[in-house]
Amino acid sequence: MPSDATALQLVLSGDPALFAIVRLSLYVSLSAVALAALIGIPLGAWIALTKFPGRQGVIVLLNALMGLPPVVVGLAVYLALSRSGPLGAFGLLFTAGAMIIAQSVLVTPIIAALTRQTIEDLWIEYRDELTAMNLGPLGRVTALIWDARFSLVTALLAGFGRAAAEVGAIIIVGGNIEGFTRTMTTAIALETSKGDLPLAVGLGLVLIAIVIAVNALAWTARRAGERLAG
């Protein structure tokens, strides 16, 4: 397996080109998850604690959006950021910012849906206590989000896993430009098509290691939450 041996050498030797791609991938994915969390956690908590006409339909739609096709999201973001689009004046197309926006659109429904389910379950458990404390809507949301913090970390890590493995949307809005918008997934696709398997395999090894680390963190956070809950 000479190509595998070369791929391992690239990883273990700290190849600058390989780790530049890894750094950009982590920057884009972590920024997208942070942006999605700012939108998704309050949105999910609001849906969990608020009764309004059509709420069940909103929940069904939110769950459905968890499976958004990446290429469709990429096309929609491309049209929005293109020169003639509503956000074209910002000049974000084919930049890391465009990829962050595209990944945020994909990750926000995941975080919002998981937050909604988590907060709704806790509200059923703590409704009497929080009502007796006479907390307002903001106080209830704050208390429940704090109590659900370990479960919400799991939701964030699930969103990161989706973002880190994404290729369809970001290659449309980012363009896969070397040194600027080339991430692990887009580089793997490109290098495989070129027949440069050592770099593609090396990036694949790093991506698998990151996914395993993310799942280990999710498991640790869930166990920590269970121990604290008794």
Side-chain angles (χ1 to χ4, degrees):
M1 301 285 289
S3 62
D4 291 345
T6 307
L8 281 174
Q9 290 171 4
L10 285 174
V11 176
L12 297 177
S13 65
D15 181 75
L18 185 147
F19 280 94
I21 294 172
V22 173
R23 281 195 298 273
L24 178 62
S25 298
L26 292 176
Y27 166 71
V28 170
S29 298
L30 290 172
S31 299
V33 171
L35 181 59
L38 288 175
I39 301 170
I41 290 178
L43 176 62
W46 179 76
I47 295 173
L49 300 179
T50 306
K51 304 297 181 185
F52 55 88
R55 178 175 178 273
Q56 290 303 319
V58 171
I59 292 174
V60 171
L61 177 62
L62 189 61
N63 291 337
L65 292 178
M66 294 173 68
L68 270 174
V71 291
V72 175
V73 172
L75 176 61
V77 174
Y78 178 91
L79 293 174
L81 298 180
S82 63
R83 184 171 299 179
S84 58
L87 302 177
F90 293 100
L92 291 174
L93 201 58
F94 303 127
T95 67
M99 294 192 295
I100 292 171
I101 292 173
Q103 288 194 351
S104 298
V105 174
L106 289 170
V107 172
T108 297
I110 296 174
I111 294 177
L114 295 177
T115 299
R116 196 275 308 166
Q117 186 63 60
T118 301
I119 298 297
E120 194 168 286
D121 292 344
L122 282 178
W123 174 239
I124 294 173
E125 183 178 354
Y126 294 123
R127 177 168 45 198
D128 293 340
E129 290 87 342
L130 293 177
T131 302
M133 293 169 66
N134 199 27
L135 290 176
L138 182 59
R140 293 174 183 177
V141 168
T142 303
L144 291 174
I145 287 178
W146 174 254
D147 196 73
R149 59 192 182 281
F150 293 107
S151 297
L152 295 183
V153 168
T154 303
L156 296 180
L157 292 175
F160 176 79
R162 163 82 164 182
E166 207 290 309
V167 61
I170 60 173
I171 203 169
I172 293 176
V173 301
N176 197 19
I177 304 170
E178 184 177 5
F180 293 96
T181 60
R182 184 163 296 172
T183 65
M184 284 187 285
T185 51
T186 58
I188 290 171
L190 176 67
E191 300 303 331
T192 301
S193 67
K194 290 165 52 181
D196 187 0
L197 295 182
L199 181 55
V201 174
L203 288 167
L205 292 174
V206 174
L207 184 57
I208 290 172
I210 291 173
V211 170
I212 291 174
V214 166
N215 279 277
L217 284 173
W219 181 83
T220 302
R222 187 169 58 251
R223 290 297 301 270
E226 291 172 354
R227 283 198 297 271
L228 285 178

